[in-house]
């Protein structure tokens, strides 16, 4: 005899599996939202008194006349108004000389930096590892002595002097390079560098992520509970125990 309830059981089974799968996926999304919220709140607590989230200080050194970063390609992709009206994109470098000489730090278009350092022995930072910290350099040969960096008109932001120097820059579209030198352009550059940026709305992102994660976790729990319930027998109670007696 064919079981007329088999299609119904299959539909119920498929529905339970869909609820369980949906619950698990929602739970994973909830965990991600909670993790994002926690990281954002932690980062917000790490900001300094000026609102910058900064790296630790790291030592960069070369026997050449300049340290330069690789070209930093910044494409705001239509977000210029957001950057201009918020703290997003505010960059800060803190540089301290370890050579005993006044230090210079500047940011300029990469093409302008390349022209300034053409024929000058300098080192380009090509890679950074942070655990533990290690900088990889590509040395560029040259014999020309550059003009004092502070006298050049290529910098969009620069600073120089003794002690810790602070460079602030509002990021713009383009290809940019960071240069650290002795202020007199001499060889043997050694400096401690900290990099920071303002990242607004971290607190809002953090609490939003945690709140959203909790809601998703409740939804996931409900889906899993519903999917884990045993199916009800669709047959009438009488059918389970035999035919009911006919009325007299």
């Amino acid at each position: 005899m064919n079981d007329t309830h088999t299609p119904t059981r299959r539909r119920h089974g498929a529905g339970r599996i869909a609820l369980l799968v949906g619950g698990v996926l929602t739970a994973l999304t909830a965990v991600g939202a909670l993790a994002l919220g926690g990281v954002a709140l932690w980062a917000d607590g790490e900001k300094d008194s000026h609102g910058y989230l900064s790296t630790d200080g790291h030592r960069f050194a070369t026997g050449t006349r300049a340290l330069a970063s690789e070209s930093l390609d910044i494409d705001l992709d239509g977000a210029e108004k957001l950057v201009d009206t918020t703290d997003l994109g505010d960059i800060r470098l803190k540089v301290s000389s370890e050579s005993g000489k006044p230090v210079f730090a500047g940011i300029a278009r990469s093409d302008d930096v390349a022209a300034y350092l053409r024929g000058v022995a300098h080192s380009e930072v090509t890679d950074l590892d942070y655990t533990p910290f290690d900088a990889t350099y590509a040395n560029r040969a040259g014999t020309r002595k550059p003009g004092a960096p502070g006298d050049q008109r290529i910098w969009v932001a620069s600073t120089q002097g003794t002690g810790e120097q602070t460079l602030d820059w509002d990021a713009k579209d383009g290809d940019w390079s960071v240069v650290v030198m002795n202020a007199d352009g001499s060889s043997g550059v050694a400096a401690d560098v900290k990099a920071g940026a303002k990242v607004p709305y971290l607190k809002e992102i953090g609490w939003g992520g945690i709140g959203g994660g909790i809601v998703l976790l409740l939804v996931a729990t409900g889906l899993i509970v519903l999917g884990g319930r045993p199916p009800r027998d669709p047959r009438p109670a009488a059918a389970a125990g035999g035919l009911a007696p006919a009325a007299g």
Side-chain angles (χ1 to χ4, degrees), residues 69-75 107 110 169 172 174-178:
S69 70
E70 286 189 304
S71 179
L72 308 175
D73 182 8
I74 297 179
D75 183 1
I107 296 175
S110 295
W169 179 54
K172 303 292 184 184
D175 294 329
W176 306 93
S177 294
V178 179

Side-chain angles (χ1 to χ4, degrees), residues 6-248:
T6 297
T8 301
R9 290 173 177 168
R10 287 176 178 171
R11 287 197 297 272
H12 287 174
R16 290 172 59 214
I17 292 173
L19 287 171
L20 289 171
V21 171
V24 170
L25 293 177
T26 304
L28 291 174
T29 304
V31 170
L34 290 169
L36 173 64
V39 170
L41 289 177
W42 171 84
D44 187 69
E46 293 296 305
K47 291 180 180 179
D48 62 22
S49 59
H50 299 285
Y52 284 89
L53 189 62
S54 301
T55 66
D56 293 330
H58 297 295
R59 186 177 189 271
F60 294 83
T62 178
T64 62
R65 292 182 181 271
L67 283 165
S69 70
E70 286 189 304
S71 179
L72 308 175
D73 182 8
I74 297 179
D75 183 1
L76 298 178
D77 195 22
E80 293 88 350
K81 184 175 292 187
L82 176 64
V83 170
D84 290 340
T85 57
T86 69
D87 292 334
L88 184 66
D90 288 359
I91 307 298
R92 170 168 288 181
L93 296 179
K94 290 190 174 183
V95 184
S96 301
S97 175
E98 293 191 352
S99 68
K101 301 177 181 179
V103 68
F104 170 90
I107 296 175
R109 298 276 182 184
S110 295
D111 288 346
D112 292 335
V113 169
Y116 171 55
L117 294 178
R118 187 170 293 118
V120 175
H122 64 281
S123 299
E124 188 175 282
V125 180
T126 58
D127 192 28
L128 293 173
D129 291 322
Y130 288 95
T131 52
F133 178 78
D134 182 57
T136 302
Y137 305 99
N139 293 323
R140 312 301 183 191
T143 57
R144 185 174 67 83
K145 180 179 179 180
D151 294 339
Q152 311 307 309
R153 302 176 63 86
I154 63 174
W155 315 108
V156 295
S158 64
T159 184
Q160 68 177 20
T162 58
E164 185 177 71
Q165 300 296 304
T166 299
L167 182 155
D168 291 327
W169 179 54
D170 187 7
K172 303 292 184 184
D173 271 333
D175 294 329
W176 306 93
S177 294
V178 179
V179 177
V180 177
M181 302 175 65
N182 294 324
D184 61 1
S186 60
S187 300
V189 182
D192 181 87
V193 179
K194 298 178 184 177
K198 282 191 175 181
V199 185
Y201 312 124
L202 281 176
K203 186 175 294 184
E204 291 81 356
I205 292 171
W207 287 117
I210 289 176
I214 291 173
V215 171
L216 289 172
L217 201 56
L218 292 174
V219 172
T221 301
L223 292 173
I224 292 172
V225 168
L226 289 174
R229 283 181 176 177
R232 292 181 298 176
D233 192 337
R235 293 176 298 177
L243 295 174

